[in-house]
Amino acid sequence: MRRTTRAAIAVCTALGAALAGGCAGSTPGGAATSTETMEPITITVSDLANEHHSTAVGLRTWADEVTARTGGKVRFEYFWSGSLAPGNEALDALGGGLAQLGGVIPDYFDQELPTAQWFTGLLGVLSPASPHGFLQGSLAADEFFKQPAVEAEFAEHNLKVVSAAVTEPYSLLCTKPSETLAQTTGLRARTAGATRNAELAALGLTAVNLPPDDVYDGMQRGVIDCTVAAKSLMSTYGLWEVAPYFTPVGITPALRVNAMNLDVWNALPPDVQKVMMDAVPTYIAGIVRAELDAYAKLFGPDGPAAKVHLQNPAELGEHVRRAQAERLTGLAAHAPATIADPADEVRRFRESAAAWLAVVLDDMGVPEPRLDTPEAIRASFVEGAAFDLDRWVELVRAKRGGS
């Protein structure tokens, strides 16, 4: 459903005038047809993450490339930490024009974005290794979200999908020992969205919904005992200080979609749109670089996580994988009507993820590290920083046909 607000009118007035001599989304005779003929614009970005989070780093890296490749014609102004709109209001904020670009977390919108939310259930098939799972999952997700059915779902909210990315498989961080099912049963764990609830239940955990900014205090005050999150979130919010028990159990990662106000997108010249799409591998690489560097610092000999209790994930990981397999088995039967052939969609995602994993394994010759002991896991976190992301971007662009 399309929304019209005073904010949207303001966006049309400012950006539409700069791009097309009218409201964004209209096609007047004087519309700019190229970067050369357009007037400079500034796109407002609203995001749930704080400015230091890896997704913010990736978004700025992508935006810097767009600015450079448009000769400074397209610039960006950032509002972090949900300062313009919280994450669960992103659809209205972006579609209505309060901001023109920002992150949408499908887990927050299972009713409004049923196709996107269904897709999140597929992410349990990804490699648990870093950066392997990051890279294969993000590219496969980006392909899925550029399909007509998914784009139509976002268009109903006046949005255009620009890029998609996944987090690493989530880990468990707790205030008390949490290495076995006996230890985790009865604990309360923060999660974001229902996709992982079955996995938490398999660990005997009770799911509690809390925004990221409330997790530290929630742990400190005993509202929750654990959080499910990527290591970057744990680092950004200093969670090690209150929760030193860390277990990388491979819980299904989260999905993030960067979406642009559709009126603003339609008013952009085609060559600017292409620049934005071609820069998607740079966005993914920016996230992963921030994550890998953070891991190396966190888990190095002098890092703050050096004193964290890195617990063996073998027992809990087995319960998580069993829950993921059960979900995948029933996923096709519970697909929304927008997906014409759910079984084929599952097959195609598996094939896409495998093909993008092969870029890392075969084209780059980087095997998946061992993850069977705490020592091996710690070593993989430290050694991952040496991964050649510039080479990866080159390979991906060649395969995707971008420039």
Side-chain angles (χ1 to χ4, degrees):
M1 180 177 179
R2 295 286 291 270
R3 297 171 175 82
T4 302
T5 65
R6 284 181 293 179
I9 293 170
V11 170
C12 286
T13 301
L15 285 182
L19 290 166
C23 182
S26 62
T27 55
T33 58
S34 69
T35 306
E36 290 183 358
T37 60
M38 71 180 287
E39 294 294 324
I41 61 169
T42 298
I43 292 175
T44 301
V45 180
S46 173
D47 205 88
L48 175 64
N50 72 33
E51 62 182 305
H52 304 295
H53 194 276
S54 60
T55 56
V57 174
L59 192 53
R60 286 197 303 271
T61 304
W62 171 87
D64 288 347
E65 179 171 323
V66 171
T67 298
R69 295 183 63 186
T70 58
K73 289 288 188 75
V74 181
R75 297 184 180 275
F76 300 84
E77 182 180 11
Y78 304 98
F79 294 86
W80 304 113
S81 301
S83 56
L84 273 185
N88 60 0
E89 296 179 10
L91 286 185
D92 286 346
L94 294 168
L98 181 61
Q100 292 90 57
L101 175 69
V104 174
I105 311 298
D107 277 331
Y108 294 168
F109 302 104
D110 55 339
Q111 299 299 313
E112 298 90 342
L113 300 173
T115 310
Q117 173 60 16
W118 178 84
F119 172 82
T120 305
L122 288 169
L123 300 179
V125 308
L126 301 178
S127 169
S130 295
H132 302 66
F134 271 124
L135 299 176
Q136 67 166 158
S138 294
L139 289 170
D142 192 69
E143 289 179 349
F144 178 88
F145 278 86
K146 301 294 172 59
Q147 296 183 95
V150 186
E151 292 206 318
E153 184 170 272
F154 276 81
E156 290 179 3
H157 301 277
N158 201 32
L159 295 175
K160 166 68 178 179
V161 174
V162 177
S163 61
V166 302
T167 66
E168 62 166 323
Y170 277 171
S171 299
L172 190 66
L173 190 70
C174 298
T175 59
K176 56 191 70 175
S178 45
E179 191 172 41
T180 67
L181 188 61
Q183 292 173 325
T184 56
T185 297
L187 299 183
R188 293 157 300 187
R190 177 262 178 185
T191 187
T195 300
R196 296 154 208 90
N197 285 357
E199 294 163 54
L200 296 189
L203 301 181
L205 296 163
T206 299
V208 178
N209 284 313
L210 278 179
D213 288 343
D214 294 343
V215 173
Y216 188 104
D217 287 342
M219 285 181 153
Q220 198 169 44
R221 293 186 288 108
V223 175
I224 54 173
D225 306 294
C226 306
T227 186
V228 171
K231 292 184 286 297
S232 58
L233 182 73
M234 300 173 186
S235 172
T236 300
Y237 291 95
L239 300 183
W240 316 106
E241 299 169 7
V242 291
Y245 294 92
F246 175 79
T247 317
V249 291
I251 291 171
T252 296
L255 172 71
R256 167 200 171 88
V257 178
N258 285 324
M260 182 174 286
N261 179 281
L262 186 58
D263 297 323
V264 173
W265 173 265
N266 287 338
L268 291 170
D271 60 340
V272 174
Q273 295 176 349
K274 185 176 186 303
V275 164
M276 290 181 172
M277 292 301 185
D278 286 350
V280 168
T282 298
Y283 163 66
I284 296 169
I287 296 175
V288 175
R289 170 50 58 210
E291 294 275 358
L292 295 180
D293 288 348
Y295 298 171
K297 292 177 182 177
L298 281 169
F299 288 92
D302 300 319
K307 297 180 181 179
V308 168
H309 302 283
L310 186 56
Q311 302 177 131
N312 194 318
E315 180 178 335
L316 297 185
E318 182 59 34
H319 289 286
V320 168
R321 287 188 290 276
R322 192 176 301 132
Q324 290 170 337
E326 290 176 0
R327 182 178 65 239
L328 284 166
T329 299
L331 200 59
H334 296 92
T338 51
I339 299 178
D341 190 341
D344 186 61
E345 205 63 64
V346 172
R347 178 192 61 78
R348 291 199 302 119
F349 177 76
R350 286 180 178 274
E351 289 179 354
S352 175
W356 289 120
L357 179 60
V359 173
V360 179
L361 297 177
D362 301 333
D363 297 350
M364 297 188 66
V366 180
E368 294 173 280
R370 286 178 50 221
L371 298 173
D372 53 351
T373 67
E375 294 75 20
I377 293 167
R378 188 183 295 274
S380 76
F381 294 160
V382 174
E383 295 165 3
F387 187 84
D388 188 351
L389 281 163
D390 290 338
R391 174 62 177 153
W392 177 83
V393 169
E394 291 177 3
L395 289 169
V396 170
R397 281 185 167 158
K399 291 179 181 293
R400 286 168 56 112
S403 57

